Amino acid sequence: MDLGSVIVAVAGVAGTLGGSLLTQRASERAKRREIELVRSHEELRENLLSRRTCYVELNRDARQFTTALNRHLHVMRERGVEEADREALDEAKGAHRDRYSEAQMIAPDEVLACARAVNLALNRVYGQIKRLERGEPQEGETMATAARAQREIWDLIRAMRTAMRRDLGVPPPE
């Protein structure tokens, strides 16, 4: 066998091995891209699920806190406030606080702006009710102004719910 034949044979073997190696590398890259794509889709799905769960709970807790404020106002009008009434109101406040804190970590700015408006309004009415309960209202605070402010929270909750639905891709109700 002459030198030229040896070179051709070596080149043929190297080409075959090199081609196999390149094919294997391309296959590994394609698999990595596929795994990354699957991971990315999974992360998006988990993020959406996490936001949806948070939104459901925030909406529920904001509604329950608003209802508890209304109930407390009725109790104040109809009879004296008892410790159980205070505890019920504070439990609703605490549940909402926890949910709002969670939303602060995962909600986008549009949703968070609406949630912030609800949170501020709820805490403002809560403070007003507690001052009325103690008999130390600020100027202009009455049972009627507290009740009106409490009713206005429902509009803020609707706006928050609309922003949440839009973020989740849920079409508006017809």
Side-chain angles (χ1 to χ4, degrees):
M1 192 177 245
D2 67 359
L3 184 60
S5 298
V6 171
I7 292 175
V8 168
V10 168
V13 170
T16 302
L17 291 175
S20 295
L21 185 61
L22 289 175
T23 301
Q24 181 181 356
R25 280 204 160 153
S27 175
E28 287 173 0
R29 265 188 256 127
K31 263 193 193 280
R32 271 195 304 271
R33 277 192 300 253
E34 183 180 335
I35 289 170
E36 288 170 9
L37 186 62
V38 167
R39 262 192 214 132
S40 176
H41 283 275
E42 185 64 25
E43 285 175 12
L44 287 173
R45 191 183 71 72
E46 286 176 16
N47 186 296
L48 181 66
L49 181 61
S50 176
R51 284 195 331 271
R52 189 186 82 197
T53 300
C54 177
Y55 293 171
V56 166
E57 292 174 353
L58 180 61
N59 183 60
R60 179 200 62 215
D61 291 343
R63 293 172 62 84
Q64 287 179 341
F65 189 12
T66 304
T67 300
L69 290 167
N70 185 49
R71 188 178 317 116
H72 205 80
L73 282 166
H74 283 292
V75 166
M76 288 171 65
R77 278 189 212 106
E78 295 168 4
R79 62 174 170 78
V81 175
E82 298 172 1
E83 190 57 32
D85 301 316
R86 288 183 192 93
E87 287 173 5
L89 181 58
D90 287 341
E91 283 178 23
K93 182 182 190 296
H96 176 265
R97 179 200 58 233
D98 292 347
R99 220 51 59 222
Y100 177 66
S101 295
E102 182 180 347
Q104 287 179 309
M105 295 296 110
I106 64 173
D109 290 343
E110 180 191 356
V111 172
L112 196 53
C114 293
R116 186 178 305 113
V118 169
N119 186 60
L120 289 171
L122 285 165
N123 285 310
R124 203 172 309 131
V125 173
Y126 175 84
Q128 188 174 1
I129 287 173
K130 295 308 269 184
R131 286 187 295 277
L132 288 166
E133 183 184 316
R134 288 190 311 267
E136 301 170 356
Q138 292 180 355
E139 187 175 330
E141 289 183 338
T142 65
M143 293 291 280
T145 62
R148 187 172 38 256
Q150 180 274 329
R151 285 190 305 273
E152 291 170 357
I153 295 171
W154 291 110
D155 291 333
L156 296 172
I157 290 174
R158 277 188 283 282
M160 178 180 72
R161 186 177 55 238
T162 298
M164 290 172 176
R165 290 172 61 90
R166 191 174 19 254
D167 179 50
L168 296 174
V170 177
E174 293 182 22

